Each structure stands twice: as structure tokens, then as C-alpha cells.
Amino acid sequence: MRIYIRFSEDLDFFLKKEQQGRRFALDMDRKASVKDIIESQGVPHTEVGRMELEKQTRDFAFIPGRTGALDVSGIKPPFDVLKPGFLRPRPLARIRFVADVNVMKLGKLMLLLGFDTACSSSFSDPEIADISEREKRIVLTRDTGLLKRKKIEFGRRIRSNLPYEQLEETLVFFGLSGKIRFFTRCSHCNKSLEPRDKADVMALLEPKTQKYFSRFFQCPECKKVFWKGSHYAKIVRKLGTMEHPVFQEWQRNPDQNFSRIEDL
Ligand SMILES: [Zn+2]
């Protein structure tokens, strides 16, 4: 039995040169699910948006019984994880992430932008898969093999190795640019931040911070205090320079964005 497989070009990242942009034959010496077939060629199931065997839409568990043509397409961004799809009929109830150790800086940036992100450099691969399944979290990783685990239904193999490019990639892929909420989450423990009066946190602040800032947020868990300091300004500036059209709002009208954040 043979499967004549072709991947769409948005999956080229995972393929060898000779597999890109063409149909190629796979000799099957045993029965295997479509998931196993595509993953044997390097593409994790989490990156796939649609699969057709002999023009019929199939899910990951389907086991081809005879020779045929298999067409595999990537997920078209923005990927709305809150809506049911053929391959993922049970959507997520909320947008939540778990970040692998190889994208820890991305995880911290996602937290600063207010996205619920479980981050720890001590998570092992099996732990990340368990957390993803148990807490219904999207896995962010640069480890392609991790995303082939069955327990992981939603995930993204981060392409870039630069944290701000990774952030742009994540925001664009999952369509999150309108969901950014600064200072709503602790970048250390992922707990929701609470607004604090200056007087209540005064003792925890450096003199310069006491002088120049007036709005503060505190983590109820680790007690760390957040304010719109230089780190915040750097992120806003970086968001404003991102090239993708979804960030043009930031580029056109940064003041409006500042005031929107002020309203938090
Ligand atoms: Zn905290």
C-alpha cells in the first residue's frame, strides 16, 4: 500500500527540501493513523488545519486502508481556539498557554501582556503534556517532538529564536493583538494583579519610582509591585515597530493605546 502525500507550503518549515512543494510516495509496511503518517514526515499534528484522503476530509485517528492521495494543510491564522473545528471539535473555553523552557522569555512577555501563561524552567516534556491536557493550555515550544504527543491538542512550534519575534508570531497566529491587557498578571507566578494605592506599596519602591509613578499593581501571591516603568515602555515601543498589519494601530496611535492601558 502506498500513500501519495503532499503538504501545503505553510508546513515547509518541518519538511526536507525534497519533500517541499510536491507529492511524494510513502510505502506503508503497516497500518498507521493519519496522525502517525504525517508525524513520521516531521509535521506535528498541532500544526495541521486540514487533511484530505482521496478528497475526503479525515481526522487524525483515521487509518487508511488502501493506496491513495493525502493532502495536508497547515492552520490558517488567525487560529481561533475558542471555536470548534473538524480536527479539534472540543474548543478551549479560555485562551491559556504553557511555555516550554526553550521559550521562557516569550512566556514572560505573554504574562506582561496579560495572557494566562504557565511558565517554569523546571517543566519536563511529560509535565508540559499533562498540564496542557489537564488545564486546557496551548503549548508554546521550539521542540517539534514535544508537539507530537497525543495529549497535546493545541500548540505552536515557535519558529523564531528571538523573543520579540516569537511574541509577534504568537500574537498574529492566535489573533491576540486586540486581547492585550497590560498589568493584569504577575510575570513571576501568573496570578491576577490587583490595583494598589501608592501609599500601600510605598515602602516597596525605590525613591525614583516613588517620585515618577503614581499607578501601581501588586501580585497577591509574591507581593511584587508593577508599574509603567522602562520595561513597560520598551514593550510598547517594540509592539509599535512590529511589521504585521495587526500592529499598525499601535504604530498609528500610540497615545490612544497608552490611555487605553491607563483605563485598566
Ligand atoms: Zn507574583
Side-chain angles (χ1 to χ4, degrees):
M1 187 181 106
R2 274 187 160 183
I3 297 294
Y4 294 93
I5 190 166
R6 184 184 179 119
F7 292 94
S8 61
E9 65 180 26
D10 49 351
L11 295 170
D12 278 356
F13 176 83
F14 299 101
L15 302 174
K16 298 187 193 103
K17 262 267 175 304
E18 61 270 25
Q19 296 172 317
Q20 296 174 4
R22 58 180 287 264
R23 192 174 294 284
F24 56 95
L26 284 180
D27 285 314
M28 307 291 296
D29 49 11
R30 62 178 178 87
K31 297 255 182 209
S33 67
V34 183
K35 176 181 182 293
D36 288 345
I37 294 171
I38 58 164
E39 291 188 338
S40 73
Q41 301 309 300
V43 180
H45 70 284
T46 51
E47 300 280 331
V48 172
R50 188 178 170 87
M51 294 178 301
E52 285 183 7
L53 187 65
E54 291 295 297
K55 308 270 184 220
Q56 266 207 293
T57 308
R58 296 297 186 190
D59 64 14
F60 293 120
F62 186 81
I63 297 173
R66 54 193 151 86
T67 291
L70 176 64
D71 289 276
V72 184
S73 315
I75 294 169
K76 304 263 177 293
F79 178 23
D80 187 351
V81 295
L82 304 179
K83 282 201 184 132
F86 181 79
L87 291 179
R88 299 169 188 89
R90 287 160 298 146
L92 299 180
R94 279 184 288 168
I95 297 172
R96 305 203 288 187
F97 297 93
V98 53
D100 194 3
V101 62
N102 48 45
V103 290
M104 221 23 40
K105 279 188 178 159
L106 167 64
K108 296 291 176 194
L109 287 170
M110 291 294 284
L111 281 166
L112 285 167
L113 266 56
F115 294 103
D116 182 341
T117 309
C119 275
S120 166
S121 51
S122 67
F123 289 155
S124 65
D125 284 6
E127 275 175 316
I128 288 182
D130 285 345
I131 291 168
S132 168
E133 185 186 42
R134 193 175 60 238
E135 302 179 15
K136 307 289 176 217
R137 290 180 181 275
I138 302 163
V139 176
L140 301 175
T141 183
R142 299 198 75 228
D143 177 355
T144 302
L146 172 61
L147 293 175
K148 293 181 181 174
R149 288 174 183 255
K150 234 184 193 144
K151 284 181 177 178
I152 301 177
E153 211 179 347
F154 294 87
R156 170 73 177 172
R157 166 55 164 94
I158 300 296
R159 273 45 162 187
S160 173
N161 54 11
L162 302 172
Y164 276 96
E165 283 183 15
Q166 295 175 342
L167 180 66
E168 178 172 16
E169 191 182 321
T170 307
L171 297 176
V172 169
F173 185 74
F174 293 102
L176 303 175
S177 62
K179 295 188 166 74
I180 295 169
R181 302 287 179 267
F182 280 99
F183 296 116
T184 49
R185 249 162 221 287
C186 176
S187 56
H188 292 265
C189 32
N190 194 21
K191 288 276 183 297
S192 291
L193 297 181
E194 296 167 357
R196 288 278 186 269
D197 287 337
K198 191 173 184 175
D200 295 337
V201 293
M202 202 68 169
L204 300 167
L205 306 174
E206 300 288 328
K208 267 193 177 170
T209 312
Q210 291 176 1
K211 191 172 167 193
Y212 294 115
F213 297 92
S214 54
R215 290 174 68 85
F216 296 92
F217 303 86
Q218 191 177 34
C219 173
E221 183 96 355
C222 71
K223 307 296 177 198
K224 189 176 158 64
V225 179
F226 294 79
W227 65 93
K228 289 197 287 190
S230 57
H231 197 44
Y232 163 82
K234 184 183 169 195
I235 294 172
V236 172
R237 204 165 52 242
K238 287 272 193 182
L239 285 176
T241 60
M242 287 181 177
E243 283 172 15
H244 195 276
V246 297
F247 299 103
Q248 283 175 4
E249 188 200 344
W250 289 89
Q251 284 159 313
R252 273 199 304 269
N253 203 345
D255 288 333
Q256 186 191 324
N257 289 301
F258 271 107
S259 61
R260 196 174 69 204
I261 294 153
E262 195 77 60
D263 291 340
L264 279 172

